[in-house]
Amino acid sequence: SKGFILKVPFGKLAWATVSLPLLSFIFCVIWSILFHFERATYTHCEVSNYLPSISAAIGVFSPQRHVWRIAIAIHAGPRLLVARMYYRYYQGVLYQWIHFMAAIACWLNVIENLALIGLTFISSAENYAVHEKCFVTFMVTSELYMMLTCYLLRSMRRSPPDNIEARSLRIKYQLLAVNVMSFALAAYFFIRHNSYCEPGVYSIFALCEYVVVLTNMAFHMTAFWDFHGRELLRQMQ
């Protein structure tokens, strides 16, 4: 029998890959608010709070914990494929002498993904030390990856971007700015909550935390534009 070629638009594959954790994250937060509100918003301060932290929303209760873990497990493989494809993309558009930086960016992307898997499947209740290390690794590598990506695609291109690539880079910069600002605010409100135990402050921390995660996901979703017109081909028997 003759084989046929399976064509998958790579931009859409990259977008669908990030949609998995996005949709499961939204589900986990809403489900926690609806069905586990008291326990999900409880902190040692015992003051009024209105939103669960991310760790409470995705890592403590069922079915949220299982939905999140399944989504992260399914998206991990394609996410690594996207990282590899980005390295090829960089080789095509960046100066040759800077390709080693492109390799660093791709490894940051890979380590970020592995750290996300680690903090997802090793909860803080099971092993706090490992979970904390995975979380710190995830945050550091994700911030560095976004910064390095923006730098390379703005300053190290050997050919000018087309309109879609230019829009993608502009959106990347906006997402990076919001992400860094939200991370700083989350740290501030977390410290303030622990220091003063004011009602609602932990909820503002949680909201900032959501924005950090959502802007990180949206940053990865810009692959939809970077890989526009590219297809993944597979020979099928």
Side-chain angles (χ1 to χ4, degrees), residues 164-177:
I164 297 175
E165 288 172 323
R167 179 171 63 175
S168 177
L169 181 58
R170 189 166 63 249
I171 292 169
K172 280 183 175 69
Y173 264 99
Q174 291 166 353
L175 290 168
L176 174 61

Side-chain angles (χ1 to χ4, degrees), residues 9-28:
F10 198 84
K12 289 183 179 177
L13 173 67
W15 195 88
T17 297
V18 183
S19 295
L20 273 168
L22 172 64
L23 294 174
S24 65
F25 171 75
I26 293 169
F27 166 81
C28 289

Side-chain angles (χ1 to χ4, degrees), residues 44-56:
H44 71 282
C45 283
E46 298 185 350
V47 292
S48 297
N49 281 303
Y50 314 102
L51 293 172
S53 68
I54 289 176
S55 59

Side-chain angles (χ1 to χ4, degrees), residues 146-214:
M146 289 190 286
M147 290 174 185
L148 186 54
T149 297
C150 287
Y151 169 71
L152 290 173
L153 292 178
R154 186 196 67 184
S155 303
M156 292 298 158
R157 289 187 70 108
R158 65 177 184 224
S159 56
D162 62 26
N163 289 339
I164 297 175
E165 288 172 323
R167 179 171 63 175
S168 177
L169 181 58
R170 189 166 63 249
I171 292 169
K172 280 183 175 69
Y173 264 99
Q174 291 166 353
L175 290 168
L176 174 61
V178 175
N179 181 279
V180 171
M181 187 169 63
S182 301
F183 183 64
L185 286 171
Y188 166 75
F189 284 114
F190 183 76
I191 293 167
R192 180 166 166 171
H193 167 75
N194 285 330
S195 300
Y196 301 109
C197 284
E198 298 161 299
V201 169
Y202 195 76
S203 301
I204 303 173
F205 155 73
L207 188 62
C208 293
E209 214 184 10
Y210 298 171
V211 176
V212 170
V213 168
L214 292 171

Side-chain angles (χ1 to χ4, degrees), residues 23-44:
L23 294 174
S24 65
F25 171 75
I26 293 169
F27 166 81
C28 289
V29 171
I30 292 172
W31 197 271
S32 296
I33 290 170
L34 291 178
F35 299 106
H36 301 110
F37 183 79
E38 293 295 332
R39 289 165 64 202
T41 58
Y42 175 83
T43 73
H44 71 282

Side-chain angles (χ1 to χ4, degrees), residues 53-116:
S53 68
I54 289 176
S55 59
I58 68 176
V60 178
F61 308 103
S62 293
Q64 300 95 301
R65 183 171 68 240
H66 304 298
V67 168
W68 178 252
R69 288 184 175 185
I70 289 167
I72 294 302
I74 293 172
H75 109 299
R79 175 86 179 266
L80 294 172
L81 178 63
V82 172
R84 182 183 168 199
M85 284 296 295
Y86 257 116
Y87 183 58
R88 290 184 180 175
Y89 173 72
Y90 290 145
Q91 286 179 313
V93 302
L94 302 180
Y95 293 118
Q96 192 164 2
W97 62 270
I98 203 71
H99 283 183
F100 77 97
M101 292 289 282
I104 291 171
C106 291
W107 276 111
L108 286 169
N109 194 353
V110 169
I111 295 167
E112 176 193 338
N113 190 36
L114 295 176
L116 176 61

